[in-house]
Amino acid sequence: MNKIYVVGIGPGAYEQMTVKAVRAIEMSQVIVGYTVYTDLLKKEFPDKDYRNTPMRQEVERCRMAYEEAAAGKKVAMVCSGDAGIYGMAGLMYEVGTEYPQVELEIIPGVTAALGGAAVLGAPLGHDCCMISLSDLLTPWEQIEKRIVAAALADFVICLYNPSSKKRSDYLQKACHLMLSYKGEDTVCGIVKNIAREGESMEILSLQELKDAKADMFSTVFIGNCKTRVIDGKMITPRGYQYERE
Amino acid sequence: MNKIYVVGIGPGAYEQMTVKAVRAIEMSQVIVGYTVYTDLLKKEFPDKDYRNTPMRQEVERCRMAYEEAAAGKKVAMVCSGDAGIYGMAGLMYEVGTEYPQVELEIIPGVTAALGGAAVLGAPLGHDCCMISLSDLLTPWEQIEKRIVAAALADFVICLYNPSSKKRSDYLQKACHLMLSYKGEDTVCGIVKNIAREGESMEILSLQELKDAKADMFSTVFIGNCKTRVIDGKMITPRGYQYERE
């Protein structure tokens, strides 16, 4: 049976791919994905047949992968970060009902929350949630509801897609909401271009985050009430009893 | 300066480690970790000096790593899944204030939520949260509050540490709570021994999950209101407009 690998390639650097993801790409002839991600792979895997569709043509991208696989090619559909978290795995299963002769294998990867957390220190040391601020596919009211719930229950919050040209004030709106339920000194962090050229990180308060600049290559972290800064890193304690000797 | 790698080794299989994690282990002389995780590594990296402490001796485990590094050894502290999500990265930074001469590098890994999701299909296709049901370090009231908030805001929920011998009814208690806010037909999944010998998965309703058996090697997923079963897999749609041609 023909098989498509749906591969989370991690945040960007080759070395943050899993061994399994590397092997899946190596075994594939055709690599399908959004241009930004396939460009990251071309350096390490130059001899593949890369196929792209623009943003917002996700269904077409999936069909392209299935058509290649149905024609006998070995295919990988690549996603940045993980294959499932805001990735293509779900839509691939939906479109897959049209191609019963093709099987899927999902290969998980380091999503931006994990990659970014490692740059900041250890912000995700306790219960956390991931929320995308993009309202392309989700009504803003639903996003607001989740932000409020997460703030009230003191989750560590990781925001995906915090901002874009068309949504330049969305992070600000989210911070306004959170400031009603969380202290303005809550420790926050922004990581840009995780594991890519130009990687940078900044630790700041929730009050400061409200006026900070983020873009579509940023991942934003809002701590819980116990998150603090240790040696310039953002740390959310798990709760172990620790006293300095 | 001496450096310790805090390494997320993924859920268990060698091939789910990142390339960076493999390189860090290869470069290290001493590998410190909980026995279950160091045993997973011994097969692939037999020539290392492995050091363990039992469960609940996490601070001692961190000090052990720092002492070795301070003595000039190349050290990796290993965590299952990710280094930060319920891992040791946070505590390592706390204990690290005693050892200013030692630097940390955090290497992220595939946490159980991602590894388990790939086995089930694509349950984490939309905003999600991770909650540990262990009340060793967190008051049960706080855990309940987060479960209720996550259920009300229709997050996909991933439960870590759903059960253990001493907490055999905790998953049942969590399901009871969620059944007040979510439909009894909500699609749920359990994955056991992710990427290890005896890996298994089961898809069931929230009503059925209430009476299901889970153990400390299980990860549990509760869908949002749009999660459904496609070809035997648990899928949470991202929201792309898809109509079968």
Side-chain angles (χ1 to χ4, degrees):
Chain A
M1 188 181 246
N2 297 317
K3 187 193 258 192
I4 300 176
Y5 298 105
V6 185
V7 183
I9 62 168
Y14 169 78
E15 62 176 5
Q16 289 210 352
M17 292 176 74
T18 65
V19 173
K20 196 172 187 179
V22 171
R23 288 177 182 168
I25 303 287
E26 283 171 351
M27 282 189 293
S28 299
Q29 299 164 287
V30 178
I31 315 289
V32 181
Y34 176 52
T35 323
V36 176
Y37 313 142
T38 53
D39 283 353
L40 289 168
L41 290 173
K42 278 179 184 166
K43 294 168 211 162
E44 297 290 338
F45 308 94
D47 301 327
K48 304 293 176 183
D49 182 3
Y50 288 93
R51 307 286 174 86
N52 309 117
T53 64
M55 282 278 234
R56 303 217 189 181
Q57 295 193 17
E58 288 81 9
V59 174
E60 292 76 0
R61 198 184 305 155
C62 292
R63 285 211 178 97
M64 185 188 275
Y66 278 108
E67 291 295 335
E68 294 289 342
K73 292 282 177 62
K74 292 179 181 168
V75 180
M77 160 70 83
V78 296
C79 314
S80 81
D82 181 52
I85 298 214
Y86 309 120
M88 300 297 286
L91 187 60
M92 282 294 283
Y93 276 108
E94 291 186 79
V95 177
T97 57
E98 295 174 34
Y99 299 88
Q101 75 277 33
V102 180
E103 198 187 350
L104 295 185
E105 180 170 350
I106 311 298
I107 300 180
V110 172
T111 184
L114 308 186
V119 176
L120 286 168
L124 304 181
H126 213 293
D127 303 330
C128 65
C129 57
M130 302 174 195
I131 302 174
S132 168
L133 292 193
S134 169
D135 60 355
L136 280 177
L137 302 170
T138 307
W140 178 254
E141 296 67 36
Q142 175 76 65
I143 298 171
E144 277 200 343
K145 192 176 167 184
R146 288 185 180 150
I147 293 170
V148 170
L152 276 169
D154 202 28
F155 279 99
V156 180
I157 300 169
C158 179
L159 299 178
Y160 281 64
N161 309 306
S163 197
S164 71
K165 280 177 198 158
K166 287 191 185 160
R167 301 180 291 105
S168 62
D169 63 336
Y170 277 34
L171 177 58
Q172 196 166 26
K173 281 161 68 180
C175 289
H176 261 299
L177 263 179
M178 289 187 281
L179 280 164
S180 304
Y181 307 100
K182 294 174 77 82
E184 58 182 39
D185 293 332
T186 303
V187 177
C188 300
I190 303 179
V191 190
K192 293 183 182 173
N193 300 305
I194 302 165
R196 299 182 194 178
E197 213 180 303
E199 178 184 277
S200 69
M201 72 92 135
E202 187 184 0
I203 292 174
L204 63 185
S205 71
L206 182 54
Q207 186 67 38
E208 291 164 339
L209 182 66
K210 186 168 63 66
D211 302 312
K213 289 253 183 299
D215 59 24
M216 59 179 291
F217 298 108
S218 306
T219 308
V220 171
F221 296 76
I222 296 98
N224 70 18
C225 70
K226 292 185 177 157
T227 303
R228 59 190 206 270
V229 180
I230 299 177
D231 285 340
K233 297 286 184 175
M234 178 179 179
I235 310 297
T236 303
R238 177 82 176 93
Y240 296 110
Q241 289 295 320
Y242 167 66
E243 284 182 39
R244 187 165 171 167
E245 279 192 341
Chain B
M1 185 180 246
N2 298 317
K3 187 193 258 190
I4 300 177
Y5 298 105
V6 185
V7 183
I9 61 167
Y14 168 79
E15 63 174 5
Q16 290 211 351
M17 291 178 73
T18 65
V19 173
K20 196 172 187 179
V22 170
R23 288 178 182 166
I25 302 289
E26 282 171 351
M27 284 188 292
S28 300
Q29 300 163 286
V30 178
I31 314 289
V32 182
Y34 176 52
T35 324
V36 176
Y37 314 143
T38 53
D39 283 353
L40 289 168
L41 290 173
K42 277 179 185 167
K43 293 168 212 161
E44 298 289 338
F45 308 94
D47 301 326
K48 305 291 174 184
D49 182 2
Y50 288 94
R51 305 288 174 85
N52 310 115
T53 65
M55 282 280 233
R56 301 217 191 180
Q57 295 195 17
E58 288 81 9
V59 174
E60 292 76 2
R61 197 183 308 157
C62 292
R63 286 212 177 95
M64 186 187 275
Y66 277 108
E67 292 295 335
E68 294 288 343
K73 292 281 178 65
K74 293 180 181 164
V75 180
M77 161 70 84
V78 296
C79 315
S80 82
D82 181 52
I85 298 214
Y86 310 117
M88 300 297 286
L91 188 60
M92 282 295 283
Y93 276 107
E94 291 185 79
V95 176
T97 59
E98 295 174 34
Y99 300 87
Q101 74 278 31
V102 180
E103 198 188 347
L104 294 185
E105 180 171 349
I106 310 297
I107 300 181
V110 172
T111 184
L114 308 187
V119 176
L120 285 168
L124 304 180
H126 213 294
D127 303 330
C128 64
C129 56
M130 302 174 196
I131 303 172
S132 167
L133 292 193
S134 169
D135 61 353
L136 280 177
L137 302 169
T138 308
W140 178 253
E141 296 67 35
Q142 175 75 69
I143 299 170
E144 278 200 343
K145 193 176 167 183
R146 289 183 179 150
I147 293 170
V148 170
L152 275 169
D154 202 28
F155 279 99
V156 179
I157 301 168
C158 179
L159 298 177
Y160 283 63
N161 308 308
S163 197
S164 72
K165 278 177 201 158
K166 285 189 185 162
R167 301 180 291 104
S168 62
D169 62 337
Y170 278 33
L171 177 58
Q172 195 165 28
K173 282 161 67 180
C175 289
H176 261 299
L177 265 178
M178 290 187 281
L179 280 165
S180 304
Y181 307 100
K182 294 174 79 81
E184 60 181 38
D185 291 332
T186 302
V187 177
C188 299
I190 304 178
V191 190
K192 294 184 183 173
N193 300 304
I194 302 165
R196 298 183 195 176
E197 213 182 303
E199 179 185 276
S200 68
M201 70 91 135
E202 186 182 3
I203 292 175
L204 63 185
S205 71
L206 182 53
Q207 186 66 39
E208 289 163 340
L209 182 66
K210 186 168 63 68
D211 301 312
K213 289 252 182 305
D215 59 26
M216 59 180 292
F217 298 109
S218 306
T219 309
V220 171
F221 296 75
I222 297 99
N224 70 18
C225 71
K226 290 184 178 157
T227 304
R228 59 188 205 272
V229 180
I230 298 177
D231 284 340
K233 297 286 184 175
M234 178 178 178
I235 311 297
T236 303
R238 177 82 176 93
Y240 296 111
Q241 288 296 320
Y242 167 66
E243 283 183 40
R244 187 163 172 171
E245 281 190 339

